[in-house]
DNA sequence: TTGTTTATGATAGTATTGCTATTATGTGTA
DNA sequence: TACACATAATAGCAATACTATCATAAACAA
């Protein structure tokens, strides 16, 4: 494992590859800090430009608009997660163990592998929780999808879905289950912090009522033979 | 059942109660049509005012801003759903049957009870799918929550959570499961339409791979004794 | 009836956002 | 040396998100 991970992203996510220049890397790095601080709605290219003592026009040379920048950041995160999952499961043979590992990484137990130097991954993870849904919940979703801007998320989802099928080849909703786990992971992290009456998940709790516990329960309940027959009878 | 349902909403959702005046009702009715058509990002009070041949200032007298209007519409929807669920379950004694009915209504099998005359409920349902998450995924969530703006959603969630506990009193995540069902219902309706590789759920399919089938499987798998023990062992 | 409140409309104005265009400047490359 | 090229500096424009003021008409109260 090298110190910094090379993450290749769809070229349609940017106008000029931000990884290739100092300014580009600064834009990415500081936009993460600023979006995390202000929230996506209050974040503007003008504020970013002032923050990095550059100009609005320069930022626009890298990203078409702030929505594309968000898509870039979120894609980067899914790639990074993919990398971490591969890193932690490539030696695991048991499919159930693989899924368990996936969930463990998904809920954000960071620290056991080399962190990306240039990017504040914890801030990016917070952005993903609060903003990632907005990347696709738009009227432009079909256009963006045709341009392949969600490919990384879909790839990752498919990869885990294959593990699910390995556990239970008869399970009829592998992709649906995995995307639900992704969405639920983010939502319950958010609920635990801001709307705790919507979830039993507690972040400070290392024992019971962990997000990991809930997601494991949700996933493996669905994948036992008994459970499958429950669904089929409805 | 009367022809039109009176739905009482938190007064902090509006500046002047739109139900009390002709203009107010027009604002609500036509904002639903416009948000559905344009999407929340492209929707503005100016466009709405032009659409209803009124003025921006008049709209602002009813709603503080478009975010509060969205909160109003979404709250209205949860209230309406609550009403429908009560209507269809008040005579049901079996808890599992109640949960099944809840899921059936959640996925949107409309038409069996009186429709609200003034509001295009189908358009509102589409808005909820695309925009409801944006109502709380903001930096203002704690302020809005303290003002009670999410109370209707939380109440509904709690109500169903009690049914879940009736089915399996030992289940440790009743609210988490129910909020997951709510979120998943919206997300998979959306995925089925726009990102079908993220779900097996198909809308046109009346037999297999229905949203109802997936949610029932997800819910009832988690609530069988066998399934509970699966989760506890992790 | 008269007077008064109240809702709406009409109009104006301001700061910010989102974006484009033009020109200048410095830096590295052929 | 000449050229390309990235960035900075500046300007500008249309749209957005409001706020304020004043006129008018309907509703209602004395």
């Amino acid at each position: 494992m090298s110190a910094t991970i090379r993450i290749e992203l769809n070229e349609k996510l940017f106008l000029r590859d931000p990884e290739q220049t100092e300014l580009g890397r600064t834009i990415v790095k500081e936009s993460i800090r600023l979006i995390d601080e202000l929230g996506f709605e209050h974040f503007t290219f003008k504020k970013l430009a002032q923050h990095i003592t550059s100009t609005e026009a320069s930022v626009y040379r890298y990203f078409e608009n702030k929505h594309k920048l968000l898509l870039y950041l979120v894609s980067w995160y899914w790639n990074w997660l993919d990398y971490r999952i591969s890193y932690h499961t490539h030696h695991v043979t048991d499919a159930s163990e693989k899924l368990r590992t996936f969930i463990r990484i998904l809920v954000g137990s960071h620290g056991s592998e080399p962190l990306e130097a240039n990017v504040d991954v914890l801030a990016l993870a917070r952005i993903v929780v609060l903003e990632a849904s907005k990347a696709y919940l738009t009227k432009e979703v079909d256009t963006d999808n045709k341009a392949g801007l969600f490919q990384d998320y879909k790839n990752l989802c498919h990869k885990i879905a294959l593990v699910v099928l390995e556990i239970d080849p008869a399970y009829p909703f592998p992709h649906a289950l995995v995307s639900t786990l992704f969405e639920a992971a983010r939502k319950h992290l958010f609920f635990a912090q801001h709307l705790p009456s919507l979830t039993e998940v507690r972040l400070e709790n290392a024992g019971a009522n962990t997000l990991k516990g809930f997601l494991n329960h949700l996933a493996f309940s669905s994948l036992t033979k008994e459970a499958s027959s429950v669904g089929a009878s409805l």
Side-chain angles (χ1 to χ4, degrees), chain A residues 167-232:
Chain A
I167 300 173
D168 183 355
Y171 180 64
F173 304 107
H175 292 84
L177 178 63
V178 172
S179 63
T180 300
L181 290 175
F182 271 110
E183 302 288 316
R186 290 188 272 126
K187 284 299 157 69
H188 289 272
L189 281 173
F190 182 81
F191 289 161
Q193 255 198 65
H194 301 289
L195 299 164
S197 66
L198 293 177
T199 187
E200 282 78 17
V201 168
R202 294 295 173 259
L203 298 182
E204 70 282 359
N205 204 333
N209 290 345
T210 61
L211 178 56
K212 194 175 79 173
F214 173 59
L215 295 182
N216 271 321
H217 191 287
L218 199 67
F220 286 98
S221 300
S222 290
L223 299 178
T224 56
K225 295 274 168 239
E226 302 87 341
S228 290
S229 64
V230 170

Side-chain angles (χ1 to χ4, degrees), chain A residues 41-216:
Chain A
E41 278 74 27
H42 298 298
F43 168 84
T44 67
F45 277 2
K46 187 167 199 172
K47 286 174 188 169
L48 174 61
Q50 284 165 347
H51 186 68
I52 63 178
T53 49
S54 176
T55 65
E56 224 181 328
S58 293
V59 178
Y60 272 103
R61 277 188 212 105
Y62 284 87
F63 294 100
E64 216 179 309
N65 51 51
K66 71 174 185 172
H67 184 253
K68 287 282 168 67
L69 171 59
L70 178 64
L71 279 165
Y72 178 93
L73 296 178
V74 169
S75 277
W76 193 97
Y77 185 82
W78 298 133
N79 259 285
W80 184 71
L81 206 69
D82 193 348
Y83 159 80
R84 295 183 70 213
I85 289 166
S86 302
Y87 179 85
H88 286 280
T89 59
H90 71 97
H91 65 284
V92 179
T93 49
D94 181 57
S96 292
E97 186 55 33
K98 264 190 193 172
L99 185 58
R100 245 187 294 276
T101 304
F102 158 67
I103 288 173
R104 185 162 38 79
I105 292 167
L106 182 61
V107 304
S109 63
H110 301 279
S112 50
E113 67 287 292
L115 273 177
E116 170 66 24
N118 191 46
V119 163
D120 184 344
V121 189
L122 290 177
L124 181 54
R126 286 191 294 268
I127 291 175
V128 167
V129 166
L130 190 67
E131 322 288 2
S133 299
K134 299 169 193 169
Y136 58 82
L137 290 176
T138 69
K139 284 284 179 184
E140 292 78 30
V141 59
D142 296 326
T143 315
D144 289 347
N145 188 32
K146 265 175 205 148
L149 307 189
F150 307 116
Q151 201 53 56
D152 296 317
Y153 188 55
K154 295 196 285 190
N155 286 347
L156 185 51
C157 185
H158 180 62
K159 204 166 166 176
I160 318 292
L162 293 179
V163 177
V164 166
L165 274 183
E166 231 184 292
I167 300 173
D168 183 355
Y171 180 64
F173 304 107
H175 292 84
L177 178 63
V178 172
S179 63
T180 300
L181 290 175
F182 271 110
E183 302 288 316
R186 290 188 272 126
K187 284 299 157 69
H188 289 272
L189 281 173
F190 182 81
F191 289 161
Q193 255 198 65
H194 301 289
L195 299 164
S197 66
L198 293 177
T199 187
E200 282 78 17
V201 168
R202 294 295 173 259
L203 298 182
E204 70 282 359
N205 204 333
N209 290 345
T210 61
L211 178 56
K212 194 175 79 173
F214 173 59
L215 295 182
N216 271 321

